Every structure is written in structure tokens, then in C-alpha cells.
Amino acid sequence: MVNRSDVHYFGAGPAPLPTTVLENAAQVLLNYQDKGIGLCEISHRSPEANAILAEAKGALVTLLDIPDDYDVLFLQSGGTGEFSATVYNLVAIWVEKKRAKIAEEVGDDEAEVLKRLRKVVDEELKLDYLVTGSWSLKASQEASRLVGAKHVNVAVDARTANNGKFGSIPAETEWTLTPRTSGGGPALVYFCDNETVDGVEFPSFPQSLEGDDAPLVCADMSSNFISRKVDVRKYAVIFGGAQKNIGSTGIAIAIIRKSLLPPASKPASPDLLRALNLSVGPIVLDYPTIAKNNSLYNTLPIFDVWVAGQVMSSLVNSYGAKRIGGQEDISNEKARLIYDTLDKYSSVYRVVPAKSARSRMNICFRVHGGDADKEKAFLAGAEKLGLLGLKGHRSVGGIRASNYNAVSVEGAQKLVTYLEDYAKTA
């Protein structure tokens, strides 16, 4: 029998969870707070469920120092669902602002307002996408599917400067963002902070998106959530699936600026959107509805929220005043150990992404130039030592060591030892 302590799992998602959280989960699944029923059996409308939500929210707010003018939502759509949700919600806000401005100019003539608004939407509606990997590419494709390709501006496609493959982030001087003006600009700018498949991570917030007139920035942080400090104030929406670095599969988390929610902001009505030939989003992706109902508009998987809350609360307890900075230090150290070893044996290993864009979370490399048989042997040798989940994504192949929070320093060191031993004997 293989014990959990004998294994170090580097899978990209679903990813490892802290053993203590899983041990506690086994108990609450059977009997939660001595109620005689398990956590998966309690009502999502119960006081216990609301307490679990509050604890998870509070832990995330503490870790990332989230300001009071932001809300935290728990959703069931996963990160992929948020590709759609950001489009539906922020386009509706953009349209309503344009409608209100036109109405100020022409008064109560609804026909004239609609006529001018159609022209504005046709000519000015743009959504900017920074395509630096597989997930941002999928997000841009979903936006094109929902609003039409003419409204989607791929401001950068990293493949054009890298022989048709992802692995770098072009200089911001090469980006073709939609111009910002006093009366306009894109409905949103999207980027994926960490590309799980391709091992690319933004080293910091893009300077091009800074400033008082900054557009609404939506960042997918599915695979580097709670791994480093984030200045939340720079974002309109941050979202991510929980299953990579926070919890179990089943929920996504969104951090949303409250100025985008009623009463501060009003989205265009469904009738108006339909009149403009724009899609109306499903209610389960509607941020105002989810926020108004404290993430409980529909049946939320409270067990998954509990797991995420336990993971985040454990970090709060571990790092105290350092908050997420404590975990950032450890994440950086583990990544340094692994990358230094890969670079040391460059005749055997080739790191896929450019050094300036290397992900701390998903370390992608090839063995002996990508020789299929040798990579297969490398993986087999790793499995014999209890180093699991190292196979690269099916779309790109190779090796991928996902360095999430639940991967211990001991696990990273054991991987480093194997990398050294393999390189010396290969």
C-alpha cells in the first residue's frame, strides 16, 4: 500500500491539497459540527453555510488585503465560465454607459437613442485580449463567439514572435491596445496572469494598463491565486477556478470592484442588448444577481467552499502579518530550486518559456530535446520515486512540474535530487 506521505504530486489540476485539510474534510463529510449529518448534506441556505461563506471570504480578504470597495463571489462556472461572464457583464455595463450619454444629448427620443447606439456599438465596441498562452487564446475565442470577431482586438499574440508557439510575453511597446479616450476605450482588457499549459506568467502588472483612465482589467488567476501579492485595486475583475491552488474542483472565485455592481453601476437591459444583436448572459453568470444573493442564488457546493476556506485560513494562520507574502517567499524558493537545477544541466533539460516569462507555478521543460522515448523513461523513473503528475499537457507534451502551494519544499527538493541524478546518468 502506498502512503500519502510517500508521494509528491505535481499535477496541474485537480491539484494537491494540504493533508490536514483532507483529514478534516473526511470528518466533516460524515458529521459536521456534531449535527449527525455531513457537510455535503446541509442546506446551502442554512446558518452553517452562511458561516462557511463568511469564513472563506474573510480569509481571502485578509490574505490579499482586498479593499472594502470590492466584493468576493463564489460561482460554479469554473474559470472557463468566467471567460463568458466577464464578457456578458462588462459589455452590458459599457453599452449602458454609452446609452446614457446619448440620451443626455437627444433627450427622450428612444428611436434616435437606439439608432445612435447601434452605430456606436458597431463602430466602437472593442474587447482587448493579451493572448500569451492556451487559456487566454480560449478566452479570446469565447469572446469572439459571443460578440463577434470584429469586436475582439487581440492586442498581442505571443506566438507571432516565437515561431508560432507560446512561451514568451512580447514587450508592451508591441501591444496594440484599443486607444483610451475621455469618452471611450475598450469594454475590457483581459489577460491570463499565469498560463498553466505553457508555463508563462506575467512577472508583474502590465504598465500599459496603469493610470487613472485605465480600462476595466479582467485577470484570470486560476493557477497562481494566493501564491503572491496582488494589488487588487488595479483590477476590475479577478477570477479563477479553485481546483489548481485553492481547493477542490467545483467552484470559481471572482473578486469584483463594487462600482461595477448596482446601485453604483447599471447594466444594459436584456431587451436593449437583444435590440443591438448582443447576447444576453445566463442568470447564473450575472454578477449583480450573484452578489445580491451572497453567492447563493442557486445551490452552491458548500463543501467546496469549505475546502477553499480551510486552505486559505491555514495560510492566514501560518503567515500572520506577512499575509500572502509568506507564501510568496516559499513559492519563489521552490521555483528557484527547480529552475536552477534545470539550467545547471542545460545539455539534458530545456526550459520551454523564455526566462523573462517563466511561471513559478507551472514549470514546463523538455528532456533531451523532447525525445519521446527518453521523456517517457524520465516520467517512469519519477513515478518509481513517488514523483507523480509530471506529464505535460496533452496539447504540448513534455514535462510539467506544477509548483502549487500544497507542494512542499521537501517535495521540490526531492524533484531536484531526481533531476540531478537523472542528468548525471542520462
Side-chain angles (χ1 to χ4, degrees), residues 94 97-98 101 120 123-126 128 177-187 189 208 210-216:
W94 185 92
K97 287 182 177 178
K98 295 295 183 181
K101 184 178 180 181
V120 167
E123 297 177 355
E124 298 180 20
L125 176 61
K126 292 293 181 184
D128 286 0
L177 294 164
T178 300
R180 307 178 213 167
T181 65
S182 58
V189 178
S208 302
E210 299 266 15
D212 294 337
D213 61 342
L216 299 178

Side-chain angles (χ1 to χ4, degrees), residues 4 24 31 67 78 81 203 221 258 282 320-321 324 336 360 388 418:
R4 184 175 178 84
N24 292 334
N31 192 346
M221 295 186 182
K258 287 182 180 177
I324 204 60
R336 184 194 64 77
R360 300 163 306 116
L388 308 182
Y418 175 61

